[in-house]
Amino acid sequence: MKILIINGPNLNLLGKREPEVYGHQSFDEYFGVLKNDFPGADLAYFQSNHEGAIIDKLHESGFSVDGIVLNAGALTHTSIALGDAVGAIPSPVVEVHISNVYRREAFRHHSFLSAKCVGSIIGLGLEGYRLAVQYLLNHERT
Ligand code: DQA
């Protein structure tokens, strides 16, 4: 099963960026752990700081992969185009946020993605990605 993890803007700085909010681990390090945890899954990772590049990646992969885990960072709260892209593809998308956005500023409380996703995992740290991958593996489309 092929599962793609997509991280949006500023998530390349995980481990360095506001560690009190996002923790001390880089995503590259965490991705290595995830790959070890799911040896049977074909996990791929893409990160971009650019909205269009993320939309292009969703178009490119969203008709072939078995699932997508998407943390769109701040684009979650601003991008109708990203929500439309998620709605346009057949691959199931799970939305992940590392921090509990509902305990933060009000502008983080709205997501243009949630309604287009199969579900959302919010506030459980990097563990959210593992839970999303596990969900997609357990709910393989036939
Ligand atoms: C985030 C939450 C967003 O509000 C923020 O802009 C991010 C990261 C999270 O994973 O908690 O960049 O998506």
PDB file of all heavy atoms in Angstrom, residues 24-57:
ATOM      1  N   HIS A  24      10.717  18.605  19.639  1.00  0.00           N
ATOM      2  CA  HIS A  24      12.154  18.721  19.347  1.00  0.00           C
ATOM      3  C   HIS A  24      12.624  17.838  18.206  1.00  0.00           C
ATOM      4  O   HIS A  24      13.795  17.845  17.850  1.00  0.00           O
ATOM      5  CB  HIS A  24      12.974  18.413  20.609  1.00  0.00           C
ATOM      6  CG  HIS A  24      12.859  19.484  21.653  1.00  0.00           C
ATOM      7  ND1 HIS A  24      11.861  19.470  22.604  1.00  0.00           N
ATOM      8  CD2 HIS A  24      13.591  20.610  21.870  1.00  0.00           C
ATOM      9  CE1 HIS A  24      11.989  20.553  23.375  1.00  0.00           C
ATOM     10  NE2 HIS A  24      13.023  21.245  22.950  1.00  0.00           N
ATOM     11  N   GLN A  25      11.724  17.038  17.668  1.00  0.00           N
ATOM     12  CA  GLN A  25      12.149  16.067  16.656  1.00  0.00           C
ATOM     13  C   GLN A  25      11.951  16.627  15.244  1.00  0.00           C
ATOM     14  O   GLN A  25      10.906  17.223  14.943  1.00  0.00           O
ATOM     15  CB  GLN A  25      11.310  14.791  16.804  1.00  0.00           C
ATOM     16  CG  GLN A  25      11.927  13.579  16.166  1.00  0.00           C
ATOM     17  CD  GLN A  25      11.220  12.289  16.573  1.00  0.00           C
ATOM     18  OE1 GLN A  25      10.070  12.312  17.026  1.00  0.00           O
ATOM     19  NE2 GLN A  25      11.898  11.179  16.415  1.00  0.00           N
ATOM     20  N   SER A  26      12.952  16.422  14.393  1.00  0.00           N
ATOM     21  CA  SER A  26      12.797  16.829  12.991  1.00  0.00           C
ATOM     22  C   SER A  26      11.886  15.817  12.297  1.00  0.00           C
ATOM     23  O   SER A  26      11.780  14.661  12.725  1.00  0.00           O
ATOM     24  CB  SER A  26      14.148  16.874  12.283  1.00  0.00           C
ATOM     25  OG  SER A  26      14.609  15.557  12.046  1.00  0.00           O
ATOM     26  N   PHE A  27      11.250  16.245  11.193  1.00  0.00           N
ATOM     27  CA  PHE A  27      10.365  15.296  10.534  1.00  0.00           C
ATOM     28  C   PHE A  27      11.157  14.190   9.851  1.00  0.00           C
ATOM     29  O   PHE A  27      10.708  13.045   9.783  1.00  0.00           O
ATOM     30  CB  PHE A  27       9.386  15.963   9.552  1.00  0.00           C
ATOM     31  CG  PHE A  27       8.231  15.058   9.257  1.00  0.00           C
ATOM     32  CD1 PHE A  27       7.167  14.963  10.127  1.00  0.00           C
ATOM     33  CD2 PHE A  27       8.249  14.224   8.151  1.00  0.00           C
ATOM     34  CE1 PHE A  27       6.126  14.071   9.908  1.00  0.00           C
ATOM     35  CE2 PHE A  27       7.210  13.329   7.906  1.00  0.00           C
ATOM     36  CZ  PHE A  27       6.145  13.255   8.795  1.00  0.00           C
ATOM     37  N   ASP A  28      12.332  14.534   9.343  1.00  0.00           N
ATOM     38  CA  ASP A  28      13.153  13.503   8.694  1.00  0.00           C
ATOM     39  C   ASP A  28      13.450  12.365   9.672  1.00  0.00           C
ATOM     40  O   ASP A  28      13.384  11.191   9.317  1.00  0.00           O
ATOM     41  CB  ASP A  28      14.471  14.102   8.182  1.00  0.00           C
ATOM     42  CG  ASP A  28      14.251  14.853   6.876  1.00  0.00           C
ATOM     43  OD1 ASP A  28      13.172  14.666   6.264  1.00  0.00           O
ATOM     44  OD2 ASP A  28      15.139  15.626   6.486  1.00  0.00           O
ATOM     45  N   GLU A  29      13.783  12.739  10.914  1.00  0.00           N
ATOM     46  CA  GLU A  29      14.069  11.722  11.932  1.00  0.00           C
ATOM     47  C   GLU A  29      12.804  10.901  12.223  1.00  0.00           C
ATOM     48  O   GLU A  29      12.836   9.664  12.245  1.00  0.00           O
ATOM     49  CB  GLU A  29      14.562  12.426  13.194  1.00  0.00           C
ATOM     50  CG  GLU A  29      15.085  11.503  14.272  1.00  0.00           C
ATOM     51  CD  GLU A  29      15.382  12.293  15.554  1.00  0.00           C
ATOM     52  OE1 GLU A  29      15.800  13.455  15.479  1.00  0.00           O
ATOM     53  OE2 GLU A  29      15.156  11.705  16.629  1.00  0.00           O
ATOM     54  N   TYR A  30      11.687  11.603  12.388  1.00  0.00           N
ATOM     55  CA  TYR A  30      10.431  10.908  12.686  1.00  0.00           C
ATOM     56  C   TYR A  30      10.010  10.006  11.522  1.00  0.00           C
ATOM     57  O   TYR A  30       9.514   8.892  11.738  1.00  0.00           O
ATOM     58  CB  TYR A  30       9.329  11.928  12.989  1.00  0.00           C
ATOM     59  CG  TYR A  30       8.005  11.283  13.329  1.00  0.00           C
ATOM     60  CD1 TYR A  30       7.817  10.623  14.540  1.00  0.00           C
ATOM     61  CD2 TYR A  30       6.952  11.311  12.423  1.00  0.00           C
ATOM     62  CE1 TYR A  30       6.617  10.005  14.838  1.00  0.00           C
ATOM     63  CE2 TYR A  30       5.748  10.705  12.722  1.00  0.00           C
ATOM     64  CZ  TYR A  30       5.587  10.055  13.929  1.00  0.00           C
ATOM     65  OH  TYR A  30       4.400   9.437  14.215  1.00  0.00           O
ATOM     66  N   PHE A  31      10.243  10.475  10.310  1.00  0.00           N
ATOM     67  CA  PHE A  31       9.859   9.682   9.141  1.00  0.00           C
ATOM     68  C   PHE A  31      10.637   8.361   9.108  1.00  0.00           C
ATOM     69  O   PHE A  31      10.083   7.318   8.735  1.00  0.00           O
ATOM     70  CB  PHE A  31      10.079  10.491   7.857  1.00  0.00           C
ATOM     71  CG  PHE A  31       9.538   9.826   6.623  1.00  0.00           C
ATOM     72  CD1 PHE A  31       8.202   9.484   6.534  1.00  0.00           C
ATOM     73  CD2 PHE A  31      10.367   9.530   5.548  1.00  0.00           C
ATOM     74  CE1 PHE A  31       7.688   8.861   5.397  1.00  0.00           C
ATOM     75  CE2 PHE A  31       9.874   8.908   4.410  1.00  0.00           C
ATOM     76  CZ  PHE A  31       8.529   8.575   4.336  1.00  0.00           C
ATOM     77  N   GLY A  32      11.899   8.389   9.520  1.00  0.00           N
ATOM     78  CA  GLY A  32      12.709   7.169   9.608  1.00  0.00           C
ATOM     79  C   GLY A  32      12.088   6.183  10.590  1.00  0.00           C
ATOM     80  O   GLY A  32      11.996   4.975  10.309  1.00  0.00           O
ATOM     81  N   VAL A  33      11.619   6.712  11.725  1.00  0.00           N
ATOM     82  CA  VAL A  33      10.975   5.861  12.736  1.00  0.00           C
ATOM     83  C   VAL A  33       9.694   5.254  12.166  1.00  0.00           C
ATOM     84  O   VAL A  33       9.427   4.055  12.300  1.00  0.00           O
ATOM     85  CB  VAL A  33      10.666   6.689  14.017  1.00  0.00           C
ATOM     86  CG1 VAL A  33       9.867   5.879  15.017  1.00  0.00           C
ATOM     87  CG2 VAL A  33      11.948   7.215  14.644  1.00  0.00           C
ATOM     88  N   LEU A  34       8.904   6.101  11.477  1.00  0.00           N
ATOM     89  CA  LEU A  34       7.641   5.626  10.888  1.00  0.00           C
ATOM     90  C   LEU A  34       7.881   4.500   9.887  1.00  0.00           C
ATOM     91  O   LEU A  34       7.154   3.508   9.867  1.00  0.00           O
ATOM     92  CB  LEU A  34       6.958   6.767  10.130  1.00  0.00           C
ATOM     93  CG  LEU A  34       5.895   7.603  10.808  1.00  0.00           C
ATOM     94  CD1 LEU A  34       5.219   8.496   9.776  1.00  0.00           C
ATOM     95  CD2 LEU A  34       4.870   6.739  11.515  1.00  0.00           C
ATOM     96  N   LYS A  35       8.897   4.681   9.060  1.00  0.00           N
ATOM     97  CA  LYS A  35       9.179   3.646   8.041  1.00  0.00           C
ATOM     98  C   LYS A  35       9.544   2.321   8.699  1.00  0.00           C
ATOM     99  O   LYS A  35       9.161   1.247   8.225  1.00  0.00           O
ATOM    100  CB  LYS A  35      10.288   4.125   7.098  1.00  0.00           C
ATOM    101  CG  LYS A  35       9.753   5.110   6.067  1.00  0.00           C
ATOM    102  CD  LYS A  35      10.665   5.275   4.881  1.00  0.00           C
ATOM    103  CE  LYS A  35      11.925   5.985   5.290  1.00  0.00           C
ATOM    104  NZ  LYS A  35      12.699   6.433   4.122  1.00  0.00           N
ATOM    105  N   ASN A  36      10.285   2.407   9.821  1.00  0.00           N
ATOM    106  CA  ASN A  36      10.614   1.190  10.573  1.00  0.00           C
ATOM    107  C   ASN A  36       9.372   0.552  11.166  1.00  0.00           C
ATOM    108  O   ASN A  36       9.252  -0.675  11.223  1.00  0.00           O
ATOM    109  CB  ASN A  36      11.560   1.512  11.733  1.00  0.00           C
ATOM    110  CG  ASN A  36      12.989   1.459  11.301  1.00  0.00           C
ATOM    111  OD1 ASN A  36      13.309   0.842  10.292  1.00  0.00           O
ATOM    112  ND2 ASN A  36      13.856   2.130  12.049  1.00  0.00           N
ATOM    113  N   ASP A  37       8.438   1.402  11.619  1.00  0.00           N
ATOM    114  CA  ASP A  37       7.225   0.892  12.279  1.00  0.00           C
ATOM    115  C   ASP A  37       6.261   0.228  11.306  1.00  0.00           C
ATOM    116  O   ASP A  37       5.444  -0.586  11.704  1.00  0.00           O
ATOM    117  CB  ASP A  37       6.491   2.040  12.987  1.00  0.00           C
ATOM    118  CG  ASP A  37       7.229   2.503  14.223  1.00  0.00           C
ATOM    119  OD1 ASP A  37       8.194   1.835  14.619  1.00  0.00           O
ATOM    120  OD2 ASP A  37       6.840   3.537  14.787  1.00  0.00           O
ATOM    121  N   PHE A  38       6.323   0.655  10.044  1.00  0.00           N
ATOM    122  CA  PHE A  38       5.405   0.105   9.035  1.00  0.00           C
ATOM    123  C   PHE A  38       6.206  -0.468   7.872  1.00  0.00           C
ATOM    124  O   PHE A  38       6.148   0.050   6.742  1.00  0.00           O
ATOM    125  CB  PHE A  38       4.446   1.189   8.528  1.00  0.00           C
ATOM    126  CG  PHE A  38       3.537   1.757   9.579  1.00  0.00           C
ATOM    127  CD1 PHE A  38       3.750   3.035  10.077  1.00  0.00           C
ATOM    128  CD2 PHE A  38       2.455   1.036  10.059  1.00  0.00           C
ATOM    129  CE1 PHE A  38       2.908   3.574  11.034  1.00  0.00           C
ATOM    130  CE2 PHE A  38       1.605   1.566  11.020  1.00  0.00           C
ATOM    131  CZ  PHE A  38       1.835   2.838  11.515  1.00  0.00           C
ATOM    132  N   PRO A  39       6.958  -1.544   8.115  1.00  0.00           N
ATOM    133  CA  PRO A  39       7.842  -2.060   7.065  1.00  0.00           C
ATOM    134  C   PRO A  39       7.083  -2.548   5.834  1.00  0.00           C
ATOM    135  O   PRO A  39       7.630  -2.533   4.729  1.00  0.00           O
ATOM    136  CB  PRO A  39       8.602  -3.205   7.752  1.00  0.00           C
ATOM    137  CG  PRO A  39       7.806  -3.544   8.962  1.00  0.00           C
ATOM    138  CD  PRO A  39       7.031  -2.329   9.348  1.00  0.00           C
ATOM    139  N   GLY A  40       5.806  -2.923   6.019  1.00  0.00           N
ATOM    140  CA  GLY A  40       5.022  -3.442   4.886  1.00  0.00           C
ATOM    141  C   GLY A  40       4.433  -2.341   4.020  1.00  0.00           C
ATOM    142  O   GLY A  40       3.937  -2.611   2.917  1.00  0.00           O
ATOM    143  N   ALA A  41       4.473  -1.105   4.494  1.00  0.00           N
ATOM    144  CA  ALA A  41       3.841  -0.010   3.751  1.00  0.00           C
ATOM    145  C   ALA A  41       4.878   0.725   2.918  1.00  0.00           C
ATOM    146  O   ALA A  41       6.045   0.818   3.298  1.00  0.00           O
ATOM    147  CB  ALA A  41       3.180   0.956   4.730  1.00  0.00           C
ATOM    148  N   ASP A  42       4.421   1.231   1.802  1.00  0.00           N
ATOM    149  CA  ASP A  42       5.292   2.026   0.939  1.00  0.00           C
ATOM    150  C   ASP A  42       5.026   3.498   1.275  1.00  0.00           C
ATOM    151  O   ASP A  42       4.098   4.111   0.745  1.00  0.00           O
ATOM    152  CB  ASP A  42       4.941   1.694  -0.524  1.00  0.00           C
ATOM    153  CG  ASP A  42       5.810   2.440  -1.509  1.00  0.00           C
ATOM    154  OD1 ASP A  42       6.710   3.178  -1.070  1.00  0.00           O
ATOM    155  OD2 ASP A  42       5.567   2.284  -2.720  1.00  0.00           O
ATOM    156  N   LEU A  43       5.828   4.040   2.199  1.00  0.00           N
ATOM    157  CA  LEU A  43       5.599   5.405   2.681  1.00  0.00           C
ATOM    158  C   LEU A  43       6.472   6.389   1.920  1.00  0.00           C
ATOM    159  O   LEU A  43       7.676   6.157   1.758  1.00  0.00           O
ATOM    160  CB  LEU A  43       5.939   5.520   4.172  1.00  0.00           C
ATOM    161  CG  LEU A  43       5.102   4.739   5.172  1.00  0.00           C
ATOM    162  CD1 LEU A  43       5.543   5.090   6.596  1.00  0.00           C
ATOM    163  CD2 LEU A  43       3.630   5.025   4.993  1.00  0.00           C
ATOM    164  N   ALA A  44       5.875   7.478   1.468  1.00  0.00           N
ATOM    165  CA  ALA A  44       6.634   8.537   0.804  1.00  0.00           C
ATOM    166  C   ALA A  44       6.359   9.851   1.520  1.00  0.00           C
ATOM    167  O   ALA A  44       5.315  10.012   2.174  1.00  0.00           O
ATOM    168  CB  ALA A  44       6.217   8.635  -0.656  1.00  0.00           C
ATOM    169  N   TYR A  45       7.306  10.774   1.404  1.00  0.00           N
ATOM    170  CA  TYR A  45       7.177  12.053   2.109  1.00  0.00           C
ATOM    171  C   TYR A  45       7.482  13.202   1.171  1.00  0.00           C
ATOM    172  O   TYR A  45       8.455  13.160   0.413  1.00  0.00           O
ATOM    173  CB  TYR A  45       8.136  12.069   3.312  1.00  0.00           C
ATOM    174  CG  TYR A  45       8.196  13.400   4.015  1.00  0.00           C
ATOM    175  CD1 TYR A  45       7.027  14.012   4.466  1.00  0.00           C
ATOM    176  CD2 TYR A  45       9.408  14.048   4.237  1.00  0.00           C
ATOM    177  CE1 TYR A  45       7.073  15.234   5.108  1.00  0.00           C
ATOM    178  CE2 TYR A  45       9.465  15.271   4.886  1.00  0.00           C
ATOM    179  CZ  TYR A  45       8.283  15.859   5.319  1.00  0.00           C
ATOM    180  OH  TYR A  45       8.328  17.076   5.943  1.00  0.00           O
ATOM    181  N   PHE A  46       6.631  14.231   1.237  1.00  0.00           N
ATOM    182  CA  PHE A  46       6.820  15.441   0.438  1.00  0.00           C
ATOM    183  C   PHE A  46       6.552  16.643   1.331  1.00  0.00           C
ATOM    184  O   PHE A  46       5.582  16.659   2.094  1.00  0.00           O
ATOM    185  CB  PHE A  46       5.828  15.431  -0.736  1.00  0.00           C
ATOM    186  CG  PHE A  46       5.858  16.679  -1.566  1.00  0.00           C
ATOM    187  CD1 PHE A  46       6.842  16.877  -2.527  1.00  0.00           C
ATOM    188  CD2 PHE A  46       4.879  17.665  -1.406  1.00  0.00           C
ATOM    189  CE1 PHE A  46       6.871  18.033  -3.299  1.00  0.00           C
ATOM    190  CE2 PHE A  46       4.899  18.821  -2.183  1.00  0.00           C
ATOM    191  CZ  PHE A  46       5.898  18.998  -3.125  1.00  0.00           C
ATOM    192  N   GLN A  47       7.421  17.634   1.255  1.00  0.00           N
ATOM    193  CA  GLN A  47       7.191  18.889   1.992  1.00  0.00           C
ATOM    194  C   GLN A  47       7.391  20.052   1.044  1.00  0.00           C
ATOM    195  O   GLN A  47       8.309  20.054   0.220  1.00  0.00           O
ATOM    196  CB  GLN A  47       8.170  19.011   3.173  1.00  0.00           C
ATOM    197  CG  GLN A  47       7.866  20.161   4.143  1.00  0.00           C
ATOM    198  CD  GLN A  47       8.403  21.522   3.700  1.00  0.00           C
ATOM    199  OE1 GLN A  47       9.424  21.600   3.032  1.00  0.00           O
ATOM    200  NE2 GLN A  47       7.712  22.587   4.081  1.00  0.00           N
ATOM    201  N   SER A  48       6.515  21.051   1.149  1.00  0.00           N
ATOM    202  CA  SER A  48       6.730  22.273   0.379  1.00  0.00           C
ATOM    203  C   SER A  48       6.195  23.467   1.147  1.00  0.00           C
ATOM    204  O   SER A  48       5.211  23.362   1.885  1.00  0.00           O
ATOM    205  CB  SER A  48       6.045  22.195  -0.983  1.00  0.00           C
ATOM    206  OG  SER A  48       6.231  23.427  -1.665  1.00  0.00           O
ATOM    207  N   ASN A  49       6.852  24.595   0.930  1.00  0.00           N
ATOM    208  CA  ASN A  49       6.376  25.858   1.503  1.00  0.00           C
ATOM    209  C   ASN A  49       5.449  26.588   0.540  1.00  0.00           C
ATOM    210  O   ASN A  49       5.030  27.707   0.832  1.00  0.00           O
ATOM    211  CB  ASN A  49       7.577  26.737   1.871  1.00  0.00           C
ATOM    212  CG  ASN A  49       8.380  26.124   2.997  1.00  0.00           C
ATOM    213  OD1 ASN A  49       7.817  25.549   3.929  1.00  0.00           O
ATOM    214  ND2 ASN A  49       9.700  26.208   2.925  1.00  0.00           N
ATOM    215  N   HIS A  50       5.138  25.944  -0.602  1.00  0.00           N
ATOM    216  CA  HIS A  50       4.410  26.631  -1.665  1.00  0.00           C
ATOM    217  C   HIS A  50       3.055  25.959  -1.935  1.00  0.00           C
ATOM    218  O   HIS A  50       2.991  24.759  -2.240  1.00  0.00           O
ATOM    219  CB  HIS A  50       5.248  26.652  -2.939  1.00  0.00           C
ATOM    220  CG  HIS A  50       6.596  27.259  -2.700  1.00  0.00           C
ATOM    221  ND1 HIS A  50       6.793  28.615  -2.644  1.00  0.00           N
ATOM    222  CD2 HIS A  50       7.800  26.685  -2.436  1.00  0.00           C
ATOM    223  CE1 HIS A  50       8.068  28.861  -2.378  1.00  0.00           C
ATOM    224  NE2 HIS A  50       8.699  27.716  -2.233  1.00  0.00           N
ATOM    225  N   GLU A  51       2.017  26.742  -1.848  1.00  0.00           N
ATOM    226  CA  GLU A  51       0.647  26.240  -2.034  1.00  0.00           C
ATOM    227  C   GLU A  51       0.488  25.498  -3.366  1.00  0.00           C
ATOM    228  O   GLU A  51      -0.043  24.383  -3.408  1.00  0.00           O
ATOM    229  CB  GLU A  51      -0.307  27.440  -1.972  1.00  0.00           C
ATOM    230  CG  GLU A  51      -1.763  27.112  -2.120  1.00  0.00           C
ATOM    231  CD  GLU A  51      -2.629  28.366  -1.983  1.00  0.00           C
ATOM    232  OE1 GLU A  51      -2.097  29.492  -2.051  1.00  0.00           O
ATOM    233  OE2 GLU A  51      -3.835  28.198  -1.804  1.00  0.00           O
ATOM    234  N   GLY A  52       0.955  26.103  -4.458  1.00  0.00           N
ATOM    235  CA  GLY A  52       0.794  25.485  -5.781  1.00  0.00           C
ATOM    236  C   GLY A  52       1.516  24.157  -5.886  1.00  0.00           C
ATOM    237  O   GLY A  52       1.016  23.214  -6.528  1.00  0.00           O
ATOM    238  N   ALA A  53       2.678  24.055  -5.255  1.00  0.00           N
ATOM    239  CA  ALA A  53       3.439  22.800  -5.313  1.00  0.00           C
ATOM    240  C   ALA A  53       2.684  21.686  -4.582  1.00  0.00           C
ATOM    241  O   ALA A  53       2.705  20.516  -5.001  1.00  0.00           O
ATOM    242  CB  ALA A  53       4.826  22.992  -4.710  1.00  0.00           C
ATOM    243  N   ILE A  54       2.006  22.050  -3.507  1.00  0.00           N
ATOM    244  CA  ILE A  54       1.234  21.044  -2.753  1.00  0.00           C
ATOM    245  C   ILE A  54       0.011  20.619  -3.577  1.00  0.00           C
ATOM    246  O   ILE A  54      -0.324  19.433  -3.657  1.00  0.00           O
ATOM    247  CB  ILE A  54       0.821  21.594  -1.369  1.00  0.00           C
ATOM    248  CG1 ILE A  54       2.074  21.877  -0.543  1.00  0.00           C
ATOM    249  CG2 ILE A  54      -0.099  20.616  -0.640  1.00  0.00           C
ATOM    250  CD1 ILE A  54       1.826  22.642   0.733  1.00  0.00           C
ATOM    251  N   ILE A  55      -0.626  21.584  -4.225  1.00  0.00           N
ATOM    252  CA  ILE A  55      -1.778  21.261  -5.086  1.00  0.00           C
ATOM    253  C   ILE A  55      -1.318  20.356  -6.226  1.00  0.00           C
ATOM    254  O   ILE A  55      -1.962  19.340  -6.530  1.00  0.00           O
ATOM    255  CB  ILE A  55      -2.442  22.552  -5.602  1.00  0.00           C
ATOM    256  CG1 ILE A  55      -3.091  23.291  -4.430  1.00  0.00           C
ATOM    257  CG2 ILE A  55      -3.464  22.247  -6.700  1.00  0.00           C
ATOM    258  CD1 ILE A  55      -3.585  24.688  -4.756  1.00  0.00           C
ATOM    259  N   ASP A  56      -0.189  20.693  -6.853  1.00  0.00           N
ATOM    260  CA  ASP A  56       0.347  19.850  -7.939  1.00  0.00           C
ATOM    261  C   ASP A  56       0.600  18.426  -7.436  1.00  0.00           C
ATOM    262  O   ASP A  56       0.310  17.448  -8.131  1.00  0.00           O
ATOM    263  CB  ASP A  56       1.651  20.432  -8.494  1.00  0.00           C
ATOM    264  CG  ASP A  56       1.426  21.668  -9.350  1.00  0.00           C
ATOM    265  OD1 ASP A  56       0.273  21.916  -9.752  1.00  0.00           O
ATOM    266  OD2 ASP A  56       2.410  22.392  -9.609  1.00  0.00           O
ATOM    267  N   LYS A  57       1.156  18.319  -6.234  1.00  0.00           N
ATOM    268  CA  LYS A  57       1.460  16.984  -5.680  1.00  0.00           C
ATOM    269  C   LYS A  57       0.175  16.199  -5.435  1.00  0.00           C
ATOM    270  O   LYS A  57       0.117  14.989  -5.698  1.00  0.00           O
ATOM    271  CB  LYS A  57       2.259  17.142  -4.374  1.00  0.00           C
ATOM    272  CG  LYS A  57       2.886  15.879  -3.877  1.00  0.00           C
ATOM    273  CD  LYS A  57       4.006  15.439  -4.785  1.00  0.00           C
ATOM    274  CE  LYS A  57       4.647  14.166  -4.325  1.00  0.00           C
ATOM    275  NZ  LYS A  57       5.641  13.685  -5.302  1.00  0.00           N
TER     276      LYS A  57
END
